[in-house]
Amino acid sequence: ITGPANNATFTAGATVTLIGNATDPEDGALTGAALAWSSSRDGALGTGSPQALTTLSVGVHLITLLATDSGGASDSDQRTITILAANTAPAVTITAPPPGSSYLAGTAVTFTGSGSDPQDGALPGSSLTWSSNLNGSLGSGLSITVSSLAVGTHTITLTGVDSGGLSGSASRTVTINAAPVNLPPNAILSAPNSGDTGVTLSFSGSSS
C-alpha cells in the first residue's frame, strides 16, 4: 500500500484514495480483480487500484490490500486510518437573566451562558460573544456584567464559535426602563405675618 499514509486522518465524506500495487514472480504486475481492498469496519471495498472512496464510516479502519496471483497464492499489506465525524455547530444556552426581565436604566445586569460542541466539548469564554440589537457588541465570556444598556427592549444574543469555524447562538429579551427623575420637594409655609404676644399663632405646610 502506497497511500494513504499510515495513521492518516480524514473527515467523514472526504475522498479517501487507496493506492497500492503488487508483483508476482510468475504473473508480473497484478491488476484488476487480483487486488482486493477491505476495511475492518466496512468490509469489502472493491478491486483494482486506485480506489477513491467517500463513504467510509466514522471510526478507526484497518485497511487491507489482498493480492492474489493466478495460482491462488496471496499476500497482503495493511494501513490504519481514522475517519472523524463531520464538524457540527455548537449548542449555545443563556442561563441568566430570566426571559423578559426588566431593569431601570443604569442597573448592572449580569448575563451568563455556555456553549457545548460535539467535537470540541465545552467552549471556553473566549469563544462566546455577547451582543445587543440596540447597543451592539457587549463583550465575551461565560459571564459579563453591563450597566450601560440603552432604554428600550433588547434582544441579547450569545454566539459561540467552535474550532472549525461553525457557530451557534441563543437569544433572550430584556427591557431597560427609564429611571424616574428625582426632583427636590417644594416646601410652602403658610403663617400670619404678625401676631400679638400671648396669642396662639397657626402655621401650616399643607400646600407643600
Side-chain angles (χ1 to χ4, degrees), residues 64-170:
T64 299
L65 173 60
L66 178 66
T68 304
D69 66 15
S70 59
S74 63
D75 188 28
S76 64
D77 192 19
Q78 294 180 317
R79 293 282 171 90
T80 298
I81 63 171
T82 301
I83 306 297
L84 302 177
N87 189 29
T88 53
V92 177
T93 303
I94 297 176
T95 54
S101 298
S102 62
Y103 304 88
L104 291 178
T107 301
V109 183
T110 298
F111 299 96
T112 59
S114 63
S116 179
D117 184 69
Q119 289 76 42
D120 299 340
L123 297 182
S126 59
S127 297
L128 297 169
T129 57
W130 298 87
S131 64
S132 159
N133 65 320
L134 299 182
N135 279 61
S137 177
L138 300 177
S140 62
L142 295 170
S143 177
I144 63 170
T145 300
V146 183
S147 58
S148 58
L149 292 176
V151 172
T153 299
H154 294 251
T155 299
I156 303 297
T157 301
L158 175 61
T159 301
V161 181
D162 67 15
S163 61
L166 293 183
S167 64
S169 63

Side-chain angles (χ1 to χ4, degrees), residues 4-59:
N6 196 39
N7 297 316
T9 300
F10 302 89
T11 301
T15 299
V16 179
T17 302
L18 306 179
I19 304 172
N21 59 74
T23 58
D24 181 71
E26 293 76 34
D27 299 339
L30 301 181
T31 60
L35 302 175
W37 296 92
S38 64
S39 159
S40 58
R41 295 184 65 87
D42 295 343
L45 300 177
T47 59
S49 175
Q51 283 283 329
L53 307 172
T54 60
T55 58
L56 291 175
S57 60
V58 173

